[in-house]
Amino acid sequence: MGYREIYEGWKSNPEGFWMQAAEAIDWVKPPSRALWSDRAPLYEWFVDAQVNTCWNAVDRHVEAGRGQQAAIIHDSPISGTRQTITYAQLRDRVASLAGALSARGVTKGDRVIIYMPMVPEAVEAMLACARLGAIHSVVFGGFAAHELAVRIDDARPKAILAASCGLEPGRVVHYKPLLDGAIAQASHKPDFCVIFQREQEVAELTPGRDLDWYGFQAGTKPADCVPVEGNHPAYILYTSGTTGAPKGVVRPTAGHLVALNWTMKNFYNVDPGDVFWAASDVGWVVGHSYICYAPLIHGNTTIVFEGKPIGTPDAGTFWRVIEEHKVRSFFTAPTAFRAIKREDPTGALIRNYDISHLRALYLAGERADPDTIEWAQRVMKVPVYDHWWQTETGYPIAGNPAGIEAMPVKIGSPTVAMPGYDVQILDEGGRPVADGELGAIAIKLPLPPGTLPTLWNAEDRFRKSYLTTFPGYYETGDAGMKDKDGYLYIMARTDDVINVAGHRLSTGGMEEVLAGHPDVAECAVIGVADELKGQLPLGFLCLNKGCERPHDEIVAECVRLVRDRIGPVAAFKLAAVVDRLPKTRSGKILRATMARIADGQEFKMPATIDDPAILDEIRESLKPLGYAGG
Ligand code: COA
Ligand code: AMP
């Protein structure tokens, strides 16, 4: 069957489609039906099932004779190490870790925060929680202590699992002091922390609170898999919204298993036993779904890569990993390819490697620009598939379903909607627009299995953020269009979220930090175009009346403040001091207009603008920073 037949088949019988996909999962008690809609517009899937994620990702493969197959390959050009963990070893390691957590009182429903770099122990920590039915929340290592503290207070974890350090090129990231700082700042205190000591930096443990990763496992009994209900939260993953308070996206257990497993063959086109590589980080949704869970649920080998596309040691690293581990399907963000292209424009380094096992490259996380796609096609000589999704969905909304049928690629489009997603382009009144017209991208409810049923502790925010603007639809926050063949085009966000090197960041969150600087009276942060990272944040600062301090001093302090509060991942380095900000007569800051000026794009003068002359001042302030034609 081709894509269109399968898609139409899903549309005519969505529940039948997902019940069939559910047959690939090992249930303790199978679901009696697929969809629960009694609380519509809140929906849940496979609610009355009993199942365990870790069993499906690990143990069942050992039982089925895959014990000696590599489950995880850790490849760390930063530390110069490689390690292979078979499914049998993974089961023993995870059961042991889960047993030790259980001995310390972690049980089903307890939250556990994981703050770890790209080491196999991070994946094992996630699986150990899943084994017990504990709800993990992984926090990306590039966030500062304050962001970790915010997540500790929201998730209220019983335990925190962390590493002593992370490794960035040329610098050790001191995780332990960040963790200590976060716990000191948070009102909620975990019962205990478990620290994985890396040889690059051994952290000092806080007596009475911190335990050593291996030490605390000694003498404890390995834990068995605990069955949980189908709608039990598998994890919480915080993502950026319009304010500084991150949204805790909840992932339901059963739908997550069913949908992720379905994508591995139908979408990423791998068979059990194949090597699958997602070059991302376990702190992001790509890492959750496609470094940890999906490849393991499907019986693939997953690569945990601790390095960068360039500089570890060079722009040939990706090719080396693909050759050495015989990668079949490869997934990363376009920014990584822009970095490689900049370093090695002719793709000379790829000639040193044999990447013939690779079938396709999958790009997501941000808009894939045509130049990057064409370059990747040219040097890699494999199909390059853009695909579009978000933390909230957990797996592709739209893409090229290569395992079903490779659709013709239209560069600039992540291809077509996946079964499960009825994607519509709506005007401001919520009416579908004509093909080729721009609008807000929305998905007809219900969303498919595995997508977020709610936000952690914030059902009202869930309704307001996603379900209110277009009744009957989920609002994606993206704008774009659909062509006559049903191909989607994702153009921009409709909110104040920006995308920096494939990382989703809140400009509102940065504004909250800048507003805390004692000399800043008012501020605005926008995303400006950047050749490497796609977008970069840029701040406008209005200072308090009478402030005579040198502007570059204040800018430097603001840059430091964002780095200290949000973290290096915010990549906030550009700011201009201005006298005033352009606003509408009702006082709304015209961020989108400023962003268009910065990028040298045409814009329509907003009819409600208070004083158009301010836009010239904004343009002048941007020029010294290299924007607005400067
Ligand atoms: N822990 C601590 N710090 C981290 C970190 C982590 N896990 N990840 C990134 N950082 C730091 C970086 O060291 C950098 O710090 P600096 O300001 O001191 O240089 C800062 O955060 C910004 O990081 P980043 O935006 O990633 O820029 P970079 O210059 O280090 O690297 C790329 C640029 C393009 C090579 C890099 O962004 C990349 O490989 N991106 C791939 C995209 C990706 O994986 N996206 C995930 C979603 S699919
Ligand atoms: P995240 O939740 O961090 O995965 O970020 C999701 C957001 O990244 C989406 O809502 C889009 O704005 C953007 N995004 C992800 N993939 C793509 C893509 N293929 N094309 C355009 N934008 C994308």
Side-chain angles (χ1 to χ4, degrees):
M1 265 200 287
Y3 158 75
R4 294 203 190 275
E5 252 176 298
I6 292 193
Y7 188 80
E8 288 310 318
W10 158 74
K11 227 173 165 178
S12 61
N13 181 9
E15 295 201 51
F17 178 91
W18 290 116
M19 284 303 271
Q20 197 184 349
E23 286 169 16
I25 297 304
D26 265 18
W27 303 98
V28 177
K29 176 174 167 271
S32 66
R33 61 190 165 97
L35 183 65
W36 267 252
S37 42
D38 39 305
R39 292 189 67 220
L42 307 184
Y43 295 90
E44 292 191 293
W45 294 86
F46 307 123
V47 170
D48 67 355
Q50 291 278 320
V51 68
N52 182 277
T53 298
C54 185
W55 173 269
N56 277 279
V58 184
D59 302 54
R60 68 161 169 166
H61 302 308
V62 181
E63 303 273 312
R66 290 189 179 277
Q68 297 318 304
Q69 181 194 314
I72 298 176
I73 296 173
H74 183 229
D75 187 309
S76 171
I78 292 199
S79 65
T81 57
R82 288 186 189 72
Q83 182 188 7
T84 298
I85 298 167
T86 65
Y87 271 101
Q89 290 167 333
L90 184 61
R91 182 198 50 193
D92 294 347
R93 291 165 66 111
V94 170
S96 169
L97 180 59
L101 288 170
S102 164
R104 292 262 161 188
V106 175
T107 58
K108 182 183 158 202
D110 287 339
R111 274 81 57 212
V112 175
I113 279 188
I114 299 172
Y115 187 55
M116 297 184 77
M118 288 296 287
V119 291
E121 286 76 7
V123 172
E124 291 167 5
M126 295 162 82
L127 294 166
C129 291
R131 199 170 185 87
L132 299 174
I135 304 166
H136 64 66
S137 187
V138 182
V139 179
F140 179 61
F143 284 123
H146 171 73
E147 290 291 320
L148 181 54
V150 167
R151 287 154 176 79
I152 293 173
D153 276 336
D154 197 66
R156 306 180 67 77
K158 185 171 265 182
I160 299 182
L161 309 186
S164 56
C165 68
L167 304 174
E168 282 290 288
R171 113 184 126 93
V172 170
V173 185
H174 311 290
Y175 275 41
K176 187 53 183 13
L178 288 167
L179 174 65
D180 292 341
I183 295 175
Q185 278 181 46
S187 331
H188 173 83
K189 310 290 174 197
D191 289 0
F192 66 98
C193 299
V194 184
I195 308 297
F196 174 66
Q197 299 279 20
R198 301 191 73 182
E199 63 182 52
Q200 289 79 7
E201 180 167 274
V202 175
E204 212 173 291
L205 302 187
T206 306
R209 188 196 74 191
D210 297 345
L211 305 162
D212 171 73
W213 190 273
Y214 293 112
F216 105 120
Q217 295 183 42
T220 58
K221 205 170 128 270
D224 286 332
C225 295
V226 175
V228 302
E229 303 74 39
N231 59 350
H232 181 72
Y235 66 77
I236 306 163
L237 178 57
Y238 289 91
T239 189
S240 302
T242 35
T243 67
K247 295 167 166 172
V249 168
V250 172
R251 187 76 57 217
T253 298
H256 181 232
L257 281 163
V258 171
L260 287 192
N261 185 69
W262 186 89
T263 61
M264 288 308 286
K265 176 64 196 167
N266 294 289
F267 189 78
Y268 295 106
N269 200 13
V270 285
D271 293 304
D274 285 344
V275 180
F276 181 85
W277 180 24
S280 177
D281 189 287
V282 284
W284 306 114
V285 72
V286 176
H288 280 63
S289 294
Y290 292 107
I291 295 172
C292 179
Y293 288 113
L296 295 177
I297 293 164
H298 194 248
N300 291 103
T301 299
T302 186
I303 296 184
V304 174
F305 173 73
E306 190 182 37
K308 301 272 172 176
I310 52 170
T312 60
D314 58 30
T317 306
F318 276 7
W319 322 136
R320 196 266 304 157
V321 173
I322 292 169
E323 172 186 286
E324 192 170 323
H325 306 303
K326 300 188 168 54
V327 174
R328 203 70 160 131
S329 287
F330 176 41
F331 176 172
T332 192
T335 189
F337 269 77
R338 290 196 294 269
I340 297 172
K341 183 170 81 164
R342 192 157 81 168
E343 244 356 65
D344 179 18
T346 61
L349 289 171
I350 204 168
R351 289 178 214 126
N352 303 333
Y353 301 93
D354 170 9
I355 63 159
S356 56
H357 278 86
L358 188 73
R359 214 183 256 151
L361 166 67
Y362 293 79
L363 295 176
E366 56 171 328
R367 186 173 158 73
D369 52 290
D371 273 2
T372 302
I373 296 185
E374 280 161 8
W375 185 85
Q377 279 173 339
R378 201 164 54 244
V379 305
M380 294 176 80
K381 301 184 174 61
V382 295
V384 177
Y385 300 132
D386 179 15
H387 62 311
W388 167 65
W389 50 293
Q390 37 185 217
T391 305
E392 288 84 344
T393 65
Y395 60 98
I397 307 170
N400 201 321
I404 299 174
E405 173 193 4
M407 306 283 286
V409 169
K410 294 194 194 184
I411 288 187
S413 163
T415 321
V416 287
M418 289 296 98
Y421 294 99
D422 181 353
V423 182
Q424 302 282 338
I425 315 292
L426 305 180
D427 67 13
E428 279 175 8
R431 286 171 299 264
V433 302
D435 290 343
E437 270 181 34
L438 268 177
I441 312 183
I443 301 166
K444 206 151 197 289
L445 293 173
L447 289 178
T451 56
L452 83 171
T454 188
L455 293 173
W456 184 252
N457 284 339
E459 193 177 294
D460 273 357
R461 190 175 180 196
F462 172 67
R463 288 175 189 268
K464 276 195 202 109
S465 306
Y466 303 107
L467 307 179
T468 307
T469 312
F470 305 116
Y473 292 89
Y474 163 86
E475 182 183 7
T476 64
D478 284 310
M481 61 190 184
K482 202 168 18 172
D483 74 10
K484 61 175 182 7
D485 301 321
Y487 280 55
L488 288 162
Y489 294 79
I490 318 301
M491 310 306 286
R493 289 287 301 190
T494 56
D495 54 15
D496 294 324
V497 165
I498 58 171
N499 197 313
V500 179
H503 306 137
R504 175 166 158 182
L505 299 168
S506 160
T507 54
M510 292 186 220
E511 288 173 4
E512 284 170 30
V513 174
L514 295 174
H517 186 285
D519 293 323
V520 172
E522 200 183 14
C523 64
V525 175
I526 59 169
V528 294
D530 180 71
E531 257 187 32
L532 175 65
K533 298 193 180 184
Q535 281 186 300
L536 280 179
L538 185 151
F540 295 96
L541 312 169
C542 300
L543 305 184
N544 290 322
K545 254 209 175 98
C547 171
E548 301 281 338
R549 297 186 52 215
H551 290 176
D552 39 344
E553 241 175 53
I554 296 175
V555 165
E557 286 166 9
C558 283
V559 166
R560 208 168 320 125
L561 203 58
V562 175
R563 192 177 173 94
D564 289 349
R565 291 280 287 188
I566 297 179
V569 68
F572 181 83
K573 292 186 177 154
L574 299 167
V577 173
V578 292
D579 286 337
R580 43 199 192 142
L581 293 169
K583 291 184 185 168
T584 62
R585 281 189 285 275
S586 60
K588 197 171 168 291
I589 298 173
L590 292 162
R591 293 181 184 79
T593 308
M594 291 196 283
R596 295 190 79 86
I597 293 174
D599 294 344
Q601 292 176 346
E602 305 235 322
F603 64 94
K604 240 184 26 224
M605 180 65 70
T608 53
I609 191 166
D610 188 33
D611 178 1
I614 305 181
L615 296 183
D616 292 328
E617 295 168 26
I618 292 293
R619 185 174 294 110
E620 289 313 306
S621 75
L622 283 162
K623 285 184 179 162
L625 298 174
Y627 287 89

